[in-house]
Amino acid sequence: MPDFRHEWKHEISLSDRLALRARLRAVCRPDGHAVDGRYQIRSLYFDNLADKALREKLDGVDRREKFRIRYYNGDPSLIHLEKKSKRNALGTKSTAELTAAEAQAIVDGRLDWMPDSGRPLIQELYSKIRSQGLRPKTIVDYTREPFVYPAGNVRVTLDYGIRTGLSCTDFLNQNCPTVPAGDPVTILEVKWDAFLPDLIRDAVQLEGRRTSSFSKYAACRSFFL
């Protein structure tokens, strides 16, 4: 399992985003996968009938996990299955690649191939679909501006334009309707390994902003509960 990393999240304003963008461009490298400094993310999140992942997030459970499928810039040639695990303020992520056909099969409930996939994370998702009743729940779309800083393996992202797919889970279908998930908001995320360099700590400081537990999945689900 990958090592757990430190994570900060802040809910910030548009003016904050503009100020941080200028600061981060001065001290960080852009992510090599970004186009003009940003990319589009589409994720499909899984939960069970009791909304276990959502409820644990809203209740602040210290140890929790959630599964999602994700691709970038509308390009299904590279799709990842991801499991995000949280332990107090630390987080880690496990990943496995999926083909578009495999992702569509999971969405459609055609699962017989998963136990023999040879990929442990896909096998784990299959097990939890069977044992916990996990199912695709909602699409989450947003724009991300990523920045990286080598010391401390720091990654800083600005996420905004969050949209929810309502009850549509056909996430390879670009015509699947989405709507804004509540009021416009930008989420600042800072992730690092053993230490956060002072240069980055100073760059992301915003007076009066406190660390939050904002979840894009929870925002998209709670908006319609």
Side-chain angles (χ1 to χ4, degrees):
M1 176 179 288
D3 291 335
F4 279 82
R5 282 162 54 82
H6 299 270
E7 297 184 4
W8 277 352
K9 288 187 182 182
H10 299 269
E11 188 173 333
I12 64 175
S13 67
L14 173 58
S15 61
D16 292 334
R17 187 210 309 170
L18 297 176
L20 284 174
R21 178 190 293 154
R23 293 184 208 167
L24 291 167
R25 283 177 175 173
V27 299
C28 293
R29 296 195 313 240
D31 186 299
H33 297 96
V35 178
D36 294 328
R38 61 179 61 86
Y39 48 75
Q40 305 298 318
I41 295 177
R42 167 162 285 193
S43 299
L44 175 65
Y45 284 83
F46 291 76
D47 213 334
N48 65 10
L49 289 175
D51 289 327
K52 178 178 181 289
L54 175 62
R55 298 300 174 187
E56 288 181 348
K57 172 63 180 179
L58 296 177
D59 292 343
V61 174
D62 288 339
R63 292 172 179 255
R64 58 186 187 273
E65 66 182 28
K66 60 189 174 190
F67 286 85
R68 67 191 180 203
I69 303 175
R70 169 172 289 189
Y71 65 105
Y72 302 88
N73 293 326
D75 179 7
S77 64
L78 180 61
I79 301 174
H80 284 127
L81 168 65
E82 300 179 345
K83 182 180 79 167
K84 289 218 49 182
S85 302
K86 294 286 290 187
R87 185 179 299 168
N88 298 317
L90 302 176
T92 191
K93 181 171 68 176
S94 303
T95 67
E97 288 192 15
L98 293 171
T99 66
E102 289 170 341
Q104 191 65 55
I106 293 173
V107 171
D108 294 340
R110 293 181 281 109
L111 312 176
D112 291 347
W113 59 275
M114 296 175 72
D116 298 321
S117 66
R119 284 161 282 176
L121 189 61
I122 293 173
Q123 294 165 332
E124 181 181 351
L125 175 61
Y126 175 81
S127 174
K128 289 177 178 176
I129 287 173
R130 293 305 190 199
S131 63
Q132 298 181 10
L134 291 184
R135 295 291 184 272
K137 278 289 186 173
T138 194
I139 290 170
V140 177
D141 287 343
Y142 59 94
T143 299
R144 166 163 286 178
E145 295 185 28
F147 303 86
V148 294
Y149 190 81
N153 190 24
V154 178
R155 182 173 177 83
V156 182
T157 56
L158 301 170
D159 296 340
Y160 52 90
I162 303 168
R163 299 178 66 87
T164 175
L166 304 171
S167 59
C168 178
T169 58
D170 189 10
F171 93 134
L172 292 178
N173 177 6
Q174 289 296 310
N175 295 318
C176 186
T178 62
V179 299
D183 295 331
V185 64
T186 296
I187 305 303
L188 164 68
E189 294 189 14
V190 185
K191 299 180 182 179
W192 70 96
D193 288 345
F195 70 99
L196 181 63
D198 289 341
L199 183 65
I200 300 300
R201 189 184 299 272
D202 292 342
V204 299
Q205 285 300 317
L206 292 167
E207 186 174 353
R209 301 293 186 270
R210 295 183 178 179
T211 302
S212 71
S213 58
F214 188 94
S215 161
K216 289 179 279 290
Y217 170 63
C220 288
R221 289 295 315 284
S222 300
F223 186 61
F224 294 100
L225 288 180

